[in-house]
Amino acid sequence: MIDKTFESIERAVADIHDGATVMIGGFGNAGMPAALIDALIVQGARELTIVNNNAGNGDTGLAALLAAGRVRKIICSFPRQADSQHFDALYRAGKIELELTPQGNLVERIRAAGAGIGGFFTPTGYGTLLAAGKETREINGRMYVLESPIHADFALIKALHGDRWGNLVYRKTARNFGPIMAMAAKITVAQVQKVVALGELDPEAIVTPGIFVQRVVQEAL
């Protein structure tokens, strides 16, 4: 019997190792798996490479992970905002590495990993510092930059409902990066509001099929 549910959030992240590459879903707070991040902080893994849309805001979630000194490198498209003080302080002190990636490129790099694509050419970033050291090519009279896929050891994502097979549905914009990150990681951990019985999810409404999810854990009630 296939049952991917975990009885505790702590157990679901227990084997995330030092130096792991971890994708974390969310667009700001929308869809951010805060409970999984909190459990990762307690778990203690260090020297992490984090892939996320931004570099944390305020003092919770990803920002708290940064403040705890657990992140060696972050790959994101939007590192600075009004309340990104923890990233700002770490970056200015030379304590964190930043790989800045335009948002469209970030999405496609993650998607490429999940689709088994070895790389792709995009015009975004050509002629800027973001293209430094990368292969460029002229295609139909326009210059393009070769971008590589981003693979991860783990993906921590948030969904609305999931079943024991790992099928997921999301709530509106909380969906954001979750589906593609689930495809690009070796182990995907989904934090869900509720684990429902098999058959309760409409097959036509399932966004992330269970084949891309290894662990499902329900938020504490």
Side-chain angles (χ1 to χ4, degrees):
M1 183 181 72
I2 299 174
D3 187 353
K4 299 178 180 179
T5 58
F6 275 56
E7 71 277 4
S8 73
I9 287 180
E10 292 75 19
R11 183 168 173 262
V13 302
D15 60 346
I16 297 180
H17 54 84
D18 291 354
T21 296
V22 182
M23 292 180 175
I24 298 179
F27 194 94
N29 289 324
M32 182 178 66
L36 289 175
I37 298 171
D38 289 345
L40 180 58
I41 293 172
V42 174
Q43 187 257 32
R46 297 181 175 277
E47 295 293 306
L48 300 173
T49 294
I50 298 297
V51 183
N52 188 262
N53 173 63
N54 63 9
N57 56 291
D59 297 303
T60 61
L62 178 55
L65 185 65
L66 294 172
R70 306 294 175 75
V71 181
R72 179 187 65 83
K73 176 180 178 180
I74 189 161
I75 303 173
C76 70
S77 65
F78 189 65
R80 296 196 65 203
Q81 54 194 51
D83 56 352
S84 58
Q85 63 271 10
H86 294 298
F87 169 78
D88 285 358
L90 290 167
Y91 187 74
R92 292 176 187 278
K95 294 181 178 180
I96 191 170
E97 180 182 347
L98 169 66
E99 182 177 333
L100 185 64
T101 303
Q103 190 165 101
N105 289 4
L106 177 67
V107 171
E108 187 63 8
R109 290 178 68 189
I110 297 169
R111 193 199 68 82
I117 295 172
F120 61 93
F121 283 97
T122 174
T124 305
Y126 177 77
T128 73
L129 291 175
L130 297 178
K134 298 178 181 178
E135 179 183 342
T136 60
R137 183 177 299 184
E138 183 177 349
I139 303 174
N140 294 327
R142 190 176 187 184
M143 296 304 298
Y144 289 76
V145 181
L146 179 63
E147 292 287 353
S148 59
I150 303 175
H151 298 269
D153 299 301
F154 297 86
L156 307 182
I157 64 175
K158 181 178 180 178
L160 180 62
H161 295 151
D163 61 27
R164 65 176 174 84
W165 284 359
N167 297 308
L168 304 177
V169 297
Y170 301 83
R171 184 180 185 278
K172 301 180 179 181
T173 58
R175 168 175 171 173
N176 52 70
F177 290 83
I180 57 169
M181 287 183 170
M183 296 174 64
K186 295 175 183 176
I187 297 175
T188 295
V189 185
Q191 168 190 329
V192 300
Q193 188 178 102
K194 183 180 180 182
V195 176
V196 301
L198 285 180
E200 189 171 331
L201 298 178
D202 178 357
E204 296 298 326
I206 292 172
V207 177
T208 298
I211 193 171
F212 298 119
V213 178
Q214 286 68 47
R215 302 171 188 174
V216 178
V217 61
Q218 183 171 301
E219 300 173 7
L221 298 177

